[in-house]
Amino acid sequence: MSQLSWAQQLIDSFFAGRCLPSQAACDEIALSTSGASTVSPVESPGSLSYTVVCSGLPGSQPDRIVSFREPGSELNEGVVKLAKGIHGDMVPEATYHGTVKGADPPLSICSMPRLLGSSYIEVISCEINMSSNEQAKHTMFIKHLARYFARCWLSPQSVDGQAQAEQCGMVQRRVARLMEELPPSIFLYSVVSRLTERLPSLFGQNYRQALTHNDFSVTNILVDEESFEITGIVDWSLANVMPFGMDLDILFLATGFLDRDGWHDYTCKKLLQDTFWEEFWLVSGIEGEELRNEARALAEDAGHIGAILRLAFRRNSDGSPSEEILLSESRMKQLSAWFS
């Protein structure tokens, strides 16, 4: 018997605790909703949704995506509109189709155009020493990544003071719980301790708040397979306004790879990092060494905090970090590798 792919395992897990509907029933609903003749699961599925590609639409219309989403993981129309205003056609415009009748637990349905490109996880290099061609493609991806963050920087968002204080308190509680669990002797403890001191500055009125994806992972970024230019950013269900840089852990993910033996940095990691910041300064228009140093230091601290929230805590049902600590050895090693 052949082993199931990781994608099908995720899909099976999604439907395992569900009475209705089945995967086949969702496929039929997707066909009816889109008017397509065939459906197939996306290659990189999420854990909180079942998403399919609908092909063969009438009149040679382009393929569409239909997504069945659990409560708490629905796409917020206002957030998607804001993201589209900042990032343009890289953000697909969603159409809502209500809920699945009789679904247990409930499921909402939305559809959107299928953006061109493949998930970055499908094309990322798993070689420490890349060829010149692979390095050039990864460099292009890093430049596009920098432009994404520059657009976020250039679109600051206002935040109510009380809401901002509540966000800061939520993060402080989680970080404090993590420090209680970490042995004071390890490197990660000193990093988390220093980051705790930076939280008031990051959530302060003088630091830029920006639309933050909050699941800006290698599965939610689409790229052109030949050039590695970013073609789309999907799944904005967790997005909200946070301190600029909370998604910057993607830069760590883009300068190495994880396998069964642990985390590995590319030999060109420093070149990729330098390329990112050079492109970011150029597009954002931030000038002057002092301003750049301050902006980079705070953004990188925000990125470290974002990485901690995503890797050191279990996920809530909606995909957001819970307050339950997940101290797996592999994740701690990954964080330590990034922060060292």
Side-chain angles (χ1 to χ4, degrees), residues 83-84 86-88 90-91 140-155 210-217 220-221 230-236 239-240 244-248 250-251 276 279-280 283-284:
K84 197 165 182 62
I86 296 171
H87 303 292
M90 286 188 180
V91 179
M140 177 59 71
F141 173 74
I142 289 292
K143 285 185 175 182
H144 274 247
L145 207 57
R147 295 168 195 170
Y148 168 89
F149 280 98
R151 289 193 298 272
C152 294
W153 176 272
L154 292 170
S155 304
L211 179 64
T212 304
H213 187 284
N214 280 322
D215 194 12
F216 199 45
S217 64
N220 287 331
I221 303 174
I230 295 178
T231 59
I233 312 292
V234 299
D235 202 349
W236 291 82
N240 63 358
F244 173 80
M246 291 286 281
D247 280 339
L248 202 57
I250 186 63
L251 180 56
F276 175 90
E279 188 72 12
F280 178 78
V283 179
S284 68

Side-chain angles (χ1 to χ4, degrees), residues 88-272:
D89 290 340
M90 286 188 180
V91 179
E93 187 170 355
T95 302
Y96 299 85
H97 303 278
T99 58
V100 177
K101 186 177 181 179
D104 182 18
L107 280 179
S108 62
I109 314 169
C110 68
S111 67
M112 63 201 73
R114 184 189 186 187
L115 300 181
L116 297 176
S118 301
S119 294
Y120 183 59
I121 193 173
E122 298 170 20
V123 299
I124 190 172
S125 174
C126 291
E127 298 290 335
I128 296 175
N129 297 298
M130 286 187 275
S131 67
S132 58
N133 182 52
E134 282 295 304
Q135 184 172 315
K137 291 194 291 187
H138 279 71
T139 299
M140 177 59 71
F141 173 74
I142 289 292
K143 285 185 175 182
H144 274 247
L145 207 57
R147 295 168 195 170
Y148 168 89
F149 280 98
R151 289 193 298 272
C152 294
W153 176 272
L154 292 170
S155 304
Q157 304 297 313
S158 59
V159 184
D160 175 76
Q162 182 177 348
Q164 196 170 16
E166 290 174 356
Q167 281 185 335
C168 184
M170 177 191 68
V171 175
Q172 285 176 324
R173 286 194 303 274
R174 290 192 173 100
V175 173
R177 282 180 57 81
L178 180 60
M179 289 190 66
E180 291 174 358
E181 298 290 333
L182 292 174
S185 58
I186 68 171
F187 167 73
L188 192 57
Y189 181 92
S190 62
V191 173
V192 175
S193 178
R194 183 185 65 80
L195 291 173
T196 302
E197 298 173 358
R198 300 286 270 175
L199 285 174
S201 296
L202 291 172
F203 284 91
Q205 293 297 315
N206 293 327
Y207 185 63
R208 190 157 303 214
Q209 308 297 301
L211 179 64
T212 304
H213 187 284
N214 280 322
D215 194 12
F216 199 45
S217 64
V218 292
T219 58
N220 287 331
I221 303 174
L222 305 180
V223 299
D224 180 278
E225 291 187 17
E226 296 300 321
S227 66
F228 278 30
E229 295 179 0
I230 295 178
T231 59
I233 312 292
V234 299
D235 202 349
W236 291 82
S237 61
L238 296 178
N240 63 358
V241 176
M242 296 287 282
F244 173 80
M246 291 286 281
D247 280 339
L248 202 57
D249 54 325
I250 186 63
L251 180 56
F252 312 140
L253 288 169
T255 55
F257 64 93
L258 183 69
D259 62 16
R260 292 180 179 178
D261 297 322
W263 179 258
H264 308 276
D265 287 335
Y266 296 137
T267 54
C268 62
K269 175 180 179 177
K270 187 178 186 308
L271 172 65
L272 294 175

